[in-house]
Amino acid sequence: MQIIRSTAQMRAAVRVARDRGASVGLVPTMGAFHAGHLSLMRQARGETNLVVVSLFVNPTQFGPNEDLAAYPRDEQRDAGLAAEAGVDILFAPPVDQIYPDGFATTVHVSGITDVLCGATRPGHFDGVATVVAKLFGIVTPDVAYFGQKDAQQVLVVRRMARDLDMPVRIQACPIVREDDGLAMSSRNAYLDATARTRATALRRALVAAETALAAGHTRATEVIAAARAVLDDAGIEPEYLELRSPDDLAPLDEITGTALLAVAARVGAARLIDNTILEVR
Ligand code: AMP
């Protein structure tokens, strides 16, 4: 596996591969790899010829009081794991390669970024959309792989790619979980033993909602109450726990087809998110 730090070298490597007729897969990440990241890399490996993983802790998607400085970083370990997963290129640029002096452009996707995580993390999705647009411009992937754990992020990136005619397919990949159901996240490293145990309530809350729906409760108030009870038991006050359209994040009062139930909560030192797609069969 090659490690590339400059955008010029990254472009050159893609050009060489394209001349050979290779398709290009991109997995954008902020590092601190876990099995969730690796599942995206393996899927890219199975579907595209040149697999590029970007490792960039993007400063513009962190708010002023967020964990940019504390965000876990271990490039050497990440490089080993990416190589094992069959990645061809780890693109790990320094900040000034992505945001050189004079950088003045922001990509803003409106509407769907106002709710859920966008409501409490102003500017977050501008940072995400801008850096993903940059990465698409540098790597020119045929397919880009994103985790469904960040369901709103997938929608934002899809909308951006569609609106700006970016010739890339956005592939959403299933949420990878710990044995006890906790969605894997680099931020799980912030959890102490007590918080780690309490954190399982997020997934259990989503399962309680699934169970309520299976028992015929299709109203938003009912499925949310079922989930809320589990969070209450664990002493977790959610930042949000909402039922929304999985297509455009419009609020839903009633589940008729599919619905996204999304939760965010601070547990101990970590802000965690999780979600499930509920479906009336
Ligand atoms: P991050 O490094 O946290 O920005 O994540 C990089 C990519 O991995 C994003 O597309 C995430 O949605 C995805 N990802 C993170 N955690 C998981 C998980 N538990 N399962 C599947 N994908 C994940």
Side-chain angles (χ1 to χ4, degrees):
M1 188 185 72
Q2 219 186 330
I3 299 181
I4 293 183
R5 301 196 187 277
S6 86
T7 56
Q9 277 170 23
M10 188 61 242
R11 276 182 200 293
V14 170
R15 201 177 311 122
V16 168
R18 284 229 182 272
D19 285 348
R20 294 196 320 258
S23 60
V24 179
L26 171 66
V27 182
T29 80
M30 299 203 302
F33 294 158
H34 51 65
H37 296 112
L38 301 180
S39 74
L40 270 52
M41 295 175 204
R42 288 201 197 93
Q43 186 159 349
R45 181 69 287 161
E47 295 178 357
T48 55
N49 303 127
L50 181 78
V51 176
V52 179
V53 170
S54 60
L55 193 179
F56 182 64
V57 182
N58 175 35
T60 65
Q61 71 188 71
F62 288 78
N65 300 315
E66 293 185 358
D67 56 341
L68 175 61
Y71 201 81
R73 289 167 169 89
D74 189 345
E75 185 186 300
Q76 225 180 342
R77 175 180 169 276
D78 287 349
L81 291 170
E84 270 173 39
V87 170
D88 297 304
I89 297 175
L90 186 69
F91 177 47
V95 172
D96 64 2
Q97 279 290 304
I98 299 297
Y99 301 114
D101 275 352
F103 188 88
T105 299
T106 298
V107 179
H108 176 71
V109 177
S110 60
I112 56 173
T113 58
D114 293 339
V115 300
L116 302 179
C117 288
T120 43
R121 303 186 73 190
H124 169 68
F125 287 112
D126 287 358
V128 168
T130 304
V131 79
V132 171
K134 291 273 302 190
L135 292 169
F136 285 0
I138 297 163
V139 179
T140 65
D142 297 284
V143 192
Y145 297 83
F146 292 87
Q148 180 62 22
K149 203 204 93 180
D150 299 272
Q152 189 173 14
Q153 172 169 277
V154 174
L155 292 179
V156 169
V157 170
R158 277 224 169 96
R159 184 68 61 89
M160 172 188 74
R162 195 189 70 187
D163 288 354
L164 298 182
D165 290 300
M166 294 172 166
V168 56
R169 179 165 72 79
I170 306 302
Q171 177 67 50
C173 304
I175 302 175
V176 177
R177 300 179 177 283
E178 302 285 357
D179 288 343
D180 62 7
L182 177 66
M184 290 201 182
S185 165
S186 307
R187 292 188 167 100
N188 291 350
Y190 302 152
L191 298 167
D192 64 20
T194 317
R196 175 65 186 78
T197 305
R198 284 173 63 226
T200 60
L202 265 64
R203 173 62 185 159
R204 287 187 285 111
L206 299 176
V207 172
E210 289 166 0
T211 306
L213 179 65
H217 300 289
T218 55
R219 295 198 57 76
T221 48
E222 297 169 324
V223 292
I224 288 172
R228 181 76 199 220
V230 175
L231 297 180
D232 285 349
D233 265 358
I236 293 173
E237 175 65 32
E239 192 178 277
Y240 61 72
L241 172 64
E242 292 178 20
L243 195 68
R244 291 183 174 268
S245 157
D247 303 319
D248 60 8
L249 300 184
L252 294 180
D253 293 330
E254 177 92 33
I255 308 172
T256 49
T258 56
L260 172 72
L261 180 63
V263 62
R266 191 158 282 284
V267 182
R271 178 184 178 279
L272 304 177
I273 59 172
D274 202 347
N275 69 82
T276 186
I277 300 285
L278 298 173
E279 192 171 0
V280 176
R281 287 174 216 281

